[in-house]
Amino acid sequence: METVTIDAIGKYDGRNVTVCGWLTHKRSSGRISFLVLRDGTGIVQATCIKGETDEQVLELYPELTQESSLAVTGKVQKDERAPGGYEVLVTSIEVLQIAETYPISPKEHGVGFLMDHRHLWLRSSRQHAILRVRHAVINAARKFFDDQGFTLLDAPILTPSSCEGTTTLFEIDYFGDKKAFLSQSGQLYMEAGAMAFGKVYCFGPTFRAEKSKTRRHLTEFWMIEPEIAFADLETVMKLAEGLVVAIVKEVLETRGQELHELGRDITRLEQIQPPFPVVTYDEAVQIVNDAGESMPWGEDFGGAHETIVSNHFEKPVIIHRYPAEVKAFYMKNDPDRPEVALCVDMLAPEGYGEIIGGGQREDDSTVLKEKVEKAELPAKDFEWYMDLRRYGSVPHAGFGLGIERTVGWICGLEHVRESIPFPRLMDRLYP
Ligand code: 4AD
Ligand code: MG
């Protein structure tokens, strides 16, 4: 007997097949009983009819609990009313395991409970839809860079130094005599890569020991980070726009069913076409203050401010030239206006906030040395980074796109925690 996956079952109309899966629910109306199976590729109804289905199967029926694992054999038959359009007329069932009482039932559960059962929650159709969108986002992002001649260069996770500020570093004891840190960003290594390959990107997990319990913060998240030699702020602003357009396009083309399942307003995503609005930090501060806040020039946007700016536009908004003081040490200052950095953030619309951060890097060794000192970073750990300015320094720029925030926005999620299979938050390390 051929074992088939549910998504391919239509090709076996009229034939006998075996489907392996888990029981999502069952119902019986005396003579006919239905077993609904899922196998990760879809759901299918397995129909047992008194007089036609094996007696043994009918006797088994009362024992079959939710999430029991089964191999169901029977004839595939078209049925417009069945979910997926086909059903299996059961002849026999092999039980792999009768599941214990399943903790997740169709009734409402609190988020804490679901998060404690994340390993099981992943089986639900909503989580399935979100994580399949995530897959499409990642594929689209990689393809975008691959098609433009970028080389994938994996950055290390264990690093000797900070990249995005020492207050959010996870420290690790490295064989007793040294400290290591979990990478906050692959950027510094991508700068070395850009000097070797011209255009590179990394894609991997990054870590922030941020004591923030907001709907936008994870302690472990995935970032895709391109870096380009002989490039400036303008180049990466355009590149960031192109990337986000490509990601949304791919998700709309390949994951329409999942977006529908999530109840996402697709018309909002269909508007994500170039050009995106571009504003300076100064203009963005004005938008915040016009909304009734009193934000002084020179501060970074808080979560509430970000929401205001994000809501102000239909499309993602590109904000450039923040005060250098609030940005990381590696940013290049604007030669025409040294108090601002040649940096860029992109905020997703609908209140989702920052999804991209990046800019042009300081390429002058003397200035960079001063910046490292000012940031009170240990100079010796940055010697290799200084080398990049000693041996053929060139203007270069790049950015990082956070995968989870992008997925959260595209799926219309309330909290970023559902956009990653096993979220790590300040108060969540299990399962
Ligand atoms: O703005 P960030 O901190 O930029 C960097 O790390 C740069 N070194 C990247 C670069 O230029 N190569 O982070 C970039 C993006 C943010 O815009 C956001 O999408 C995501 O990473 N991000 C987080 N996502 C979830 N939880 C957190 N705690 C995040 N912190 C940043
Ligand atoms: Mg940022």
Side-chain angles (χ1 to χ4, degrees):
M1 193 63 56
E2 197 165 348
T3 300
V4 303
T5 53
I6 295 171
D7 60 345
I9 211 155
K11 286 187 249 164
Y12 296 85
D13 193 10
R15 286 165 59 186
N16 278 306
V17 298
T18 298
V19 177
C20 299
W22 295 265
L23 184 67
T24 65
H25 57 277
K26 62 178 187 180
R27 69 199 146 84
S28 177
S29 61
R31 206 175 80 82
I32 302 187
S33 41
F34 301 103
L35 301 170
V36 180
L37 285 189
R38 61 163 189 89
D39 73 346
T41 73
I43 57 168
V44 73
Q45 168 178 300
T47 309
C48 311
I49 305 171
K50 221 176 185 144
E52 290 176 37
T53 305
D54 207 272
E55 263 306 313
Q56 266 177 313
V57 172
L58 299 173
E59 281 164 24
L60 198 59
Y61 179 84
E63 286 170 44
L64 299 177
T65 51
Q66 185 185 352
E67 292 304 314
S68 288
S69 39
L70 311 171
V72 173
T73 301
K75 190 168 146 191
V76 178
Q77 181 173 286
K78 216 182 171 88
D79 182 351
E80 237 90 275
R81 294 158 304 171
Y86 291 88
E87 63 176 348
V88 177
L89 296 172
V90 182
T91 47
S92 67
I93 292 179
E94 186 198 338
V95 175
L96 284 90
Q97 195 236 348
I98 298 287
E100 293 176 30
T101 308
Y102 194 59
I104 303 178
S105 59
K107 76 166 178 108
E108 286 276 313
H109 293 287
V111 171
F113 178 88
L114 290 169
M115 276 294 162
D116 284 341
H117 294 86
R118 183 64 174 165
H119 50 295
L120 302 178
W121 191 20
L122 293 179
R123 302 179 186 192
S124 81
S125 56
R126 177 182 158 82
Q127 298 312 312
H128 217 255
I130 295 168
L131 295 173
R132 279 164 65 97
V133 169
R134 178 185 169 100
H135 183 184
V137 166
I138 292 170
N139 269 351
R142 299 185 79 125
K143 187 170 181 312
F144 178 81
F145 294 119
D146 292 343
D147 287 352
Q148 293 183 49
F150 282 72
T151 299
L152 171 72
L153 208 70
D154 304 307
I157 303 293
L158 291 172
T159 60
S161 54
S162 150
C163 174
E164 293 299 323
T166 47
T167 55
T168 62
L169 272 180
F170 276 113
E171 198 178 296
I172 286 178
D173 170 60
Y174 203 65
F175 302 111
D177 59 340
K178 276 196 222 75
K179 276 183 202 160
F181 305 99
L182 294 182
S183 176
Q184 298 169 308
S185 158
Q187 178 197 319
L188 307 187
Y189 297 95
M190 289 308 100
E191 290 184 54
M195 301 307 142
F197 294 86
K199 297 199 283 188
V200 292
Y201 73 96
C202 63
F203 173 56
T206 43
F207 306 85
R208 304 279 167 100
E210 231 158 336
K211 292 204 167 81
S212 310
K213 288 186 183 171
T214 79
R215 63 195 178 94
R216 295 175 183 150
H217 286 90
L218 294 162
T219 53
E220 175 178 319
F221 63 96
W222 287 66
M223 186 154 48
I224 192 154
E225 299 181 85
E227 192 72 29
I228 315 174
F230 307 103
D232 60 8
L233 178 63
E234 290 300 317
T235 312
V236 288
M237 278 168 43
K238 269 282 148 232
L239 190 71
E241 178 186 83
L243 172 64
V244 171
V245 168
I247 289 173
V248 173
K249 183 168 181 277
E250 170 84 7
V251 173
L252 284 172
E253 278 172 12
T254 64
R255 295 288 181 245
Q257 181 55 40
E258 282 78 3
L259 293 173
H260 177 75
E261 171 105 37
L262 293 166
R264 184 66 167 107
D265 178 1
I266 286 173
T267 59
R268 293 300 306 261
L269 297 176
E270 284 167 346
Q271 291 168 21
I272 310 306
Q273 300 290 340
F276 292 177
V278 178
V279 299
T280 59
Y281 164 86
D282 312 53
E283 289 165 325
V285 170
Q286 192 62 50
I287 291 168
V288 170
N289 288 330
D290 286 349
E293 300 281 316
S294 55
M295 178 184 168
W297 193 97
E299 274 183 16
D300 203 355
F301 300 105
H305 298 155
E306 245 184 43
T307 306
I308 292 169
V309 183
S310 161
N311 273 324
H312 191 79
F313 299 94
E314 297 285 303
K315 298 188 207 178
V317 54
I318 295 170
I319 308 175
H320 61 101
R321 293 180 168 80
Y322 285 61
E325 286 289 327
V326 301
K327 289 291 179 184
F329 76 96
Y330 52 72
M331 305 254 183
K332 189 175 177 65
N333 293 25
D334 187 344
D336 296 331
R337 221 187 131 193
E339 72 278 17
V340 298
L342 292 174
C343 65
V344 58
D345 276 8
M346 188 191 288
L347 311 191
E350 300 175 73
Y352 278 93
E354 184 193 329
I355 53 170
I356 285 179
Q360 192 171 334
R361 321 308 189 185
E362 182 52 68
D363 48 15
D364 181 279
S365 65
T366 313
V367 180
L368 184 60
K369 197 159 173 276
E370 284 164 17
K371 288 184 180 236
V372 170
E373 273 165 25
K374 193 166 171 231
E376 293 176 11
L377 294 166
K380 68 171 184 356
D381 293 334
F382 288 88
E383 273 307 306
W384 70 270
Y385 188 61
M386 296 300 302
D387 274 352
L388 306 176
R389 279 72 183 167
R390 292 183 184 118
Y391 306 111
S393 190
V394 302
H396 62 289
F399 64 82
L401 169 128
I403 295 294
E404 291 74 18
R405 292 201 190 159
T406 305
V407 172
W409 157 53
I410 291 176
C411 290
L413 308 181
E414 256 173 51
H415 196 294
V416 80
R417 67 189 156 215
E418 278 182 283
S419 64
I420 182 165
F422 294 96
R424 298 292 173 244
L425 305 157
M426 234 185 114
D427 52 4
R428 163 99 23 221
L429 198 56
Y430 176 92

